[in-house]
Amino acid sequence: MFKDQKKTNGWQGTLIGQGSVAEGKLECEKSLRIEGSFHGEIQCEGQVIIGETGEARSNIKGSEIIVAGKVIGDIASEGRLTITSSGLVEGNVQVAKLIIIEGGLLNGTSKMEQQATVLIPAAGPKKKSKKAAQPEAG
């Protein structure tokens, strides 16, 4: 019945609306938007948005995370974390890119790592080094 209806908006994710309270472990394949309150673990393959009215007392893992509300917990992402001017994060973050817009708050530690680049020396002729004459001690 519902499969036949055309989608009226482009949102294809999970929404916890304003005034809603949810608790537990949340795993998403697509995007997640929280405008209400969530307590628990969040693991999302897509984008995680904590809206201005949203509050998450959670450890969050996502591909990209935007905080405009309040997060109490640790955040991990191989992508970008953006804390907007109304956003507050109280916890540690480990992300590839971190953006904090003026007014946004991060109370915790931040760790940013990029994948290590290994340099391989080019193969070429080996140069013999000449040793300088050393005076003998006497």
Side-chain angles (χ1 to χ4, degrees):
M1 178 175 151
F2 291 107
K3 291 181 183 178
D4 295 337
Q5 293 179 356
K6 292 184 180 180
K7 295 178 182 171
T8 56
N9 60 17
W11 181 256
Q12 295 205 359
T14 302
L15 172 65
I16 298 175
Q18 190 173 358
S20 298
V21 177
E23 186 175 326
K25 183 175 182 179
L26 185 56
E27 295 180 12
C28 304
E29 289 182 6
K30 302 220 180 207
S31 297
L32 168 67
R33 184 175 186 100
I34 298 175
E35 292 292 345
S37 180
F38 182 81
H39 301 260
E41 297 291 319
I42 297 172
Q43 187 164 349
C44 188
E45 293 177 24
Q47 184 181 56
V48 177
I49 302 169
I50 310 300
E52 288 187 17
T53 60
E55 180 179 311
R57 293 181 179 270
S58 311
N59 292 331
I60 301 173
K61 291 183 182 177
S63 63
E64 180 182 356
I65 301 165
I66 299 170
V67 178
K70 183 176 184 179
V71 173
I72 299 173
D74 297 338
I75 296 177
S77 176
E78 292 180 2
R80 176 175 57 202
L81 166 63
T82 302
I83 303 173
T84 69
S85 60
S86 61
L88 167 65
V89 175
E90 291 188 4
N92 301 321
V93 299
Q94 184 170 350
V95 296
K97 297 177 183 177
L98 175 62
I99 299 169
I100 303 175
I101 298 173
E102 186 176 352
L105 298 172
L106 170 60
N107 294 323
T109 62
S110 64
K111 184 175 183 180
M112 296 173 60
E113 289 185 320
Q114 293 180 337
Q115 292 182 353
T117 304
V118 179
L119 297 177
I120 300 172
K126 294 183 179 179
K127 295 182 182 178
K128 293 183 181 178
S129 61
K130 296 181 182 178
K131 290 187 178 179
Q134 300 274 339
E136 291 184 23

